[in-house]
Amino acid sequence: MTRPLILVAALLTLAACSPGDAGGSGEAATVRVAGAICRPTPVGRQMTGCYLTLTAATADRLVSVNSPDANMVQIHESRIESGMMMMGELREGLPLPAGETVTLEPGGNHLMLMGVKEPLVAGDTVALTLTFESSPPVEVTATVGQPAVAETGGTAAPAAA
Ligand SMILES: [Cu+2]
């Protein structure tokens, strides 16, 4: 499950330079994915968050995410309710306005890996397949590490039910 990081660069380059390799019908624009990173799994937990940026050339929607390294990946939003940070699944997916970079980051929208099969430690990689409403799926390799955030580095994630 550990793939070389070179793959990330290769995929990003591919996405940036209008790919013509997919052999699909038509010329669907590819959603640009960058900066994919997943937090290490907390000890004894099988859940963690992943963050990245998405840029769609035309209006689109991230509808689902899969990973061979987790039983399920959900698209989550975070919101403050009564002073508590809550998170929940975006069942309709995540809208991607044309030409805008949508950032998934700690404290905001994120991808939630659930049922992570093996503990993730810094330096590992996680394969993610992003499925969109219109654009072809994009595969990325996320690195495992702490995302850069301007907040306290504590464990902010609420306990899972
Ligand atoms: Cu979450």
Side-chain angles (χ1 to χ4, degrees):
M1 77 176 202
T2 14
R3 291 195 206 167
L5 295 182
I6 298 155
L7 182 57
V8 180
L11 285 167
L12 290 177
T13 309
L14 189 70
C17 315
S18 66
D21 70 304
S25 55
E27 295 195 1
T30 305
V31 175
R32 204 137 41 90
V33 184
I37 187 166
C38 296
R39 280 191 207 269
T41 44
V43 173
R45 301 276 298 279
Q46 292 179 293
M47 286 174 63
T48 196
C50 297
Y51 313 94
L52 41 71
T53 63
L54 299 165
T55 312
T58 53
D60 208 330
R61 184 179 290 267
L62 174 67
V63 290
S64 67
V65 181
N66 288 288
S67 172
D69 302 317
N71 290 330
M72 192 190 343
V73 183
Q74 291 186 348
I75 305 163
H76 276 190
E77 62 170 347
S78 299
R79 54 181 185 273
I80 306 287
E81 279 179 20
S82 313
M84 297 274 291
M85 174 80 84
M86 309 291 285
M87 62 181 185
E89 186 178 12
L90 287 171
R91 293 178 188 283
E92 310 282 287
L94 178 66
L96 304 174
E100 254 179 56
T101 297
V102 174
T103 303
L104 282 72
E105 58 189 347
N109 297 331
H110 57 276
L111 305 179
M112 203 83 221
L113 300 187
M114 309 176 79
V116 176
K117 293 172 183 174
E118 291 181 46
L120 300 175
V121 299
D124 283 350
T125 56
V126 177
L128 298 171
T129 302
L130 284 61
T131 304
F132 303 94
E133 197 168 66
S134 308
S135 303
V138 174
E139 289 185 26
V140 293
T141 302
T143 56
V144 176
Q146 292 295 342
V149 234
E151 62 176 11
T152 56
T155 50

